[in-house]
Amino acid sequence: MITNRGIVSHGDNNNFTNNAVGEHAHVSVAAPSHDTPAVAGAADERTAVWDVGVVTILSEELRSVVDELKLERHKEPGGLYFYQGEHTTPEATVRIVATQSQSQGQRSTMAALENLRRHYEPRLWALVGVGGGIHDQHARIGNVIVSTDIVYYENRKINPRGDVRRRGEHRQAPAPVVHAVNAFFADHGTPARVHGQLPKHASEEFEVYPGVIGSGEAVIADRESEVRSYLTDYHEKVLAVDMEAGGLSQYWQENSVYGGINPGWIVIRGVSDNADEEKGHGYHELAARNAAHILRRLLPYLY
């Protein structure tokens, strides 16, 4: 049996399909290589250096980041959507990619981070969006909390007779990120004061504070919540709560075992409610726009 590989063609307008001619002839079709880019430019996107990977949860959050940083939509062949762009600071051009998690919560956030890592490997994670304020002075609606410290409050031991002992996990972002945030507040003051990012709030100023985020799986809408009491007792600088930052800090911790550079991380939360009985969706847009704006203002310090 003679095995022929390939076709030599001389001339124009040739069209070949998988054909075999002759007795006992057959065609072997190789599976397509997974390394071949599915669309033009895909190889360049995967090999380029991406500086910031942004995870959002709500559509208002993603839209705010896309508008603030002028990102453009990109769809991967598998169906994932990412939003890409560049932002020029006085010292660098920062390449940014953003995505939205499938749902709220720590687990979906970790999945979104893994999608960003597989496709882009950004050098910094940023969790940007809204949160519930639990500090009456610093975390008023519209204010922004910039956090490099996370307290995950869900771990607990349940003893007899209703005795519940919470075991908080406290993680801090890498030192370069903490220094960058400190430099921002050194330049702008604590609190930093910035004009509102929605037209009807443009004449108003919101405040930006550094602070600790409490994170778990609960949507808190009770001022007397045991979780609120625990967090304020655990650390007096817990200013806000969310349902995702614990997943971000855990993902970063577990990826620190790999040989490559483990990205830093930062959490930016616009306060959309006070985690009480009046909690609602009315201020999501305001809080998300303010948070996205502070991300942009922080980029010259982070890069």
Side-chain angles (χ1 to χ4, degrees):
M1 176 180 177
I2 299 174
T3 300
N4 296 300
R5 300 181 182 276
I7 297 173
V8 176
S9 170
H10 300 280
D12 298 326
N13 301 317
N14 294 294
N15 180 31
F16 299 98
T17 58
N18 294 324
N19 295 306
V21 180
E23 188 177 0
H24 305 302
H26 71 278
V27 176
S28 297
V29 181
S33 170
H34 293 291
D35 295 330
T36 302
V39 294
D44 292 338
E45 290 165 2
R46 285 174 171 80
T47 57
V49 174
W50 292 87
D51 298 300
V52 182
V54 181
V55 173
T56 62
I57 312 305
L58 305 177
S59 296
E60 299 98 318
E61 298 170 347
L62 177 61
R63 184 168 60 247
S64 297
V65 170
V66 168
D67 290 349
E68 185 71 33
L69 297 173
K70 306 296 188 292
L71 307 182
E72 296 183 356
R73 186 178 65 198
H74 169 78
K75 184 180 180 181
E76 286 289 329
L80 293 172
Y81 284 89
F82 298 99
Y83 297 78
Q84 307 169 347
E86 295 182 348
H87 179 76
T88 301
T89 73
E91 297 184 1
T93 296
V94 183
R95 305 190 77 223
I96 304 158
V97 57
T99 192
Q100 182 178 2
S101 67
Q102 183 171 303
S103 60
Q104 291 179 309
Q106 318 289 345
R107 294 171 297 174
S108 190
T109 297
M110 295 176 77
L113 290 164
E114 179 62 17
N115 288 335
L116 279 174
R117 188 192 67 79
R118 286 191 296 110
H119 290 279
Y120 295 93
E121 294 188 0
R123 298 192 294 173
L124 175 77
W125 307 116
L127 186 58
V128 182
V130 306
I134 62 171
H135 191 285
D136 291 339
Q137 180 181 356
H138 294 170
R140 295 192 296 268
I141 289 175
N143 283 1
V144 174
I145 311 303
V146 177
S147 182
T148 55
D149 288 87
I150 303 300
V151 175
Y152 181 72
Y153 62 76
E154 287 291 358
N155 291 343
R156 58 196 181 274
K157 180 182 180 182
I158 302 176
N159 294 312
R161 294 178 292 279
D163 178 24
V164 178
R165 304 289 179 89
R166 291 191 180 271
R167 298 172 173 176
E169 293 182 1
H170 187 182
R171 292 195 179 94
Q172 186 177 58
V177 180
V178 177
H179 288 307
V181 171
N182 289 346
F184 171 84
F185 285 104
D187 286 351
H188 295 85
T190 304
R193 291 182 170 87
V194 183
H195 284 288
Q197 295 305 297
L198 286 181
K200 64 180 180 180
H201 296 278
S203 62
E204 305 169 5
E205 285 187 332
F206 66 90
E207 296 178 334
V208 186
Y209 287 91
V212 182
I213 299 287
S215 190
E217 299 290 355
V219 176
I220 301 174
D222 179 8
R223 181 170 285 272
E224 305 303 320
S225 163
E226 180 268 334
V227 171
R228 289 185 57 144
S229 299
Y230 169 78
L231 288 172
T232 53
D233 289 342
Y234 183 94
H235 197 310
E236 73 277 8
K237 291 189 177 181
V238 176
L239 303 184
V241 291
D242 76 2
M243 297 173 61
E244 291 82 28
L248 168 62
S249 65
Q250 180 72 26
Y251 183 88
W252 174 83
Q253 177 76 19
E254 295 193 10
N255 275 274
S256 64
V257 300
Y258 294 129
I261 298 174
N262 195 24
W265 58 266
I266 190 170
V267 180
I268 305 172
R269 289 303 192 197
V271 179
S272 62
D273 60 75
N274 294 125
D276 58 13
E277 293 79 359
E278 297 182 6
K279 178 181 174 62
H281 305 291
Y283 293 101
H284 277 181
E285 186 78 11
L286 171 65
R289 294 282 172 179
N290 289 354
H293 181 70
I294 295 305
L295 170 63
R296 183 171 68 81
R297 296 279 290 266
L298 279 163
L299 288 176
Y301 297 87
L302 295 165
Y303 283 95

